[in-house]
């Protein structure tokens, strides 16, 4: 089964993708995580993407779709995958369709902007493995240290308040139209993303078993 997780920045897509991917042995594909890894390794892609991401804007559609096109060829995608944060423009959705990528369900994470701001300002990520925590809802066992690999936890550069505002504006303008696009396919399922992490995993699990 192939899924898309659609929703505002900080809606909890990545956190839920990790849980669902583990439960069903799906590959979890986050274009944001792939781009951050490229920035860390100072690759050509990373050097191009850095300033765009830090400004809260979107990386060009063709660059994103090429990343996805290559990634879904990998062996771990054969049993199904989750596209986390992609597509996020109508053009990207059309490009995925043209590639013949079959999508079974689209999970739309519905959430109020104020909750998103609280989640993003409290988010901490590991510099080494990229694991994600939250100072209140998912605190690490040791302050500032990753539970998984003992790396240092930092605040993502694009989680600065002014960049969060721009990311939400970009979401409203370019990504929101995807809700209508996928509603028309009959594959879109809305979930209340303000609920707890465990509740969200259980809601998505039930939706997938329909
Ligand atoms: P990306 O990394 O995809 O960022 P995003 O979509 O803005 O999503 P986030 O990672 O910010 O949030 P999330 O919904 O995954 O929430 P999370 O689970 O972390 O992309 C970054 C940038 O890369 C983009 O801005 C763009 O520049 C570029 N990019 C990426 N894909 C692109 C594309 N397709 N096209 C063009 N450009 C692209 O949760 C947030 C926090 O809340 C965490 O601290 C978490 O612990 C906590 N939390 C999660 N769930 C819950 C819950 N249920 N209750 C309480 N707390 C929770």
């Amino acid at each position: 089964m192939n899924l898309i997780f659609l929703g505002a920045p900080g809606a909890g897509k990545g956190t839920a993708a990790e849980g669902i991917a583990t439960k069903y042995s799906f590959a979890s594909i986050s274009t944001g995580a792939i781009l951050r890894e490229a920035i860390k390794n100072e690759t050509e892609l990373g050097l191009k993407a850095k300033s765009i991401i830090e400004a809260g804007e979107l990386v060009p559609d063709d660059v994103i779709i090429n990343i996805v096109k290559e990634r879904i060829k990998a062996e771990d995608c054969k049993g199904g995958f989750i596209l986390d944060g992609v597509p996020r423009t109508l053009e990207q959705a059309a490009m995925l369709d043209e590639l013949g990528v079959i999508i079974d369900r689209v999970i739309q994470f519905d959430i109020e902007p104020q909750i998103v701001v609280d989640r993003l300002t409290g988010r901490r990520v590991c510099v080494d493995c990229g694991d994600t925590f939250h100072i209140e809802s998912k605190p690490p066992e040791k302050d500032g240290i990753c539970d998984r690999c003992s790396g240092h936890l930092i605040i993502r550069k694009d989680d600065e308040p002014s960049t969060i505002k721009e990311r939400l504006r970009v979401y409203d303008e370019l990504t929101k139209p995807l809700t209508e696009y996928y509603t028309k396919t009959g594959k879109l399922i809305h979930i209340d993303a303000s609920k707890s992490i465990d509740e969200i995993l259980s809601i998505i699990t039930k939706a997938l078993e329909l």
Side-chain angles (χ1 to χ4, degrees):
M1 184 181 276
N2 301 330
L3 309 172
I4 290 172
F5 282 7
L6 188 63
K13 305 178 299 293
T15 303
E18 194 190 323
I20 295 295
T22 304
K23 184 175 169 74
Y24 291 99
S25 300
F26 293 155
S28 176
I29 303 174
S30 158
T31 38
I34 292 170
L35 292 166
R36 279 187 291 281
E37 190 61 23
I39 292 172
K40 194 167 113 185
N41 295 329
E42 298 183 343
T43 65
E44 198 182 328
L45 169 66
L47 295 174
K48 266 191 213 157
K50 189 172 189 289
S51 58
I52 299 175
I53 292 183
E54 287 177 5
E57 307 300 333
L58 295 185
V59 171
D61 295 328
D62 57 333
V63 173
I64 293 292
I65 294 305
N66 277 329
I67 292 173
V68 175
K69 188 178 157 189
E70 289 310 309
R71 179 65 185 86
I72 60 178
K73 287 181 190 161
E75 194 56 37
D76 68 334
C77 292
K78 302 273 186 280
F81 55 80
I82 302 171
L83 295 179
D84 161 16
V86 62
R88 63 176 92 190
T89 64
L90 286 170
E91 290 75 15
Q92 290 179 20
M95 287 161 114
L96 282 182
D97 289 347
E98 277 162 28
L99 283 177
V101 177
I102 306 289
I103 299 298
D104 300 287
R105 298 257 198 289
V106 179
I107 309 292
Q108 164 79 51
F109 288 63
D110 293 328
I111 195 151
E112 293 298 319
Q114 187 48 51
I115 303 181
V116 158
V117 173
D118 291 345
R119 286 189 183 173
L120 292 180
T121 49
R123 174 161 63 184
R124 300 292 180 269
V125 293
C126 175
V127 278
D128 292 330
C129 73
D131 210 2
T132 300
F133 299 84
H134 188 278
I135 50 173
E136 281 161 12
S137 61
K138 196 186 168 202
E141 278 176 23
K142 274 194 212 156
D143 226 17
I145 303 292
C146 176
D147 291 351
R148 190 196 285 176
C149 76
S150 302
H152 284 288
L153 301 183
I154 56 156
I155 298 175
R156 257 169 60 174
K157 281 216 172 127
D158 58 347
D159 282 347
E160 300 292 335
S162 61
T163 318
I164 292 174
K165 202 170 157 203
E166 176 60 8
R167 287 162 67 199
L168 289 172
R169 188 197 67 73
V170 169
Y171 173 77
D172 278 347
E173 183 188 329
L174 298 174
T175 310
K176 260 194 181 163
L178 287 173
T179 303
E180 192 188 338
Y181 182 89
Y182 285 115
T183 299
K184 285 184 185 154
T185 66
K187 293 175 181 167
L188 189 123
I189 298 167
H190 287 271
I191 65 153
D192 176 358
S194 69
K195 297 202 178 295
S196 73
I197 296 171
D198 286 346
E199 283 173 304
I200 286 174
L201 293 180
S202 145
I203 292 168
I204 297 175
T205 300
K206 277 191 195 128
L208 297 184
E209 285 164 3
L210 284 180

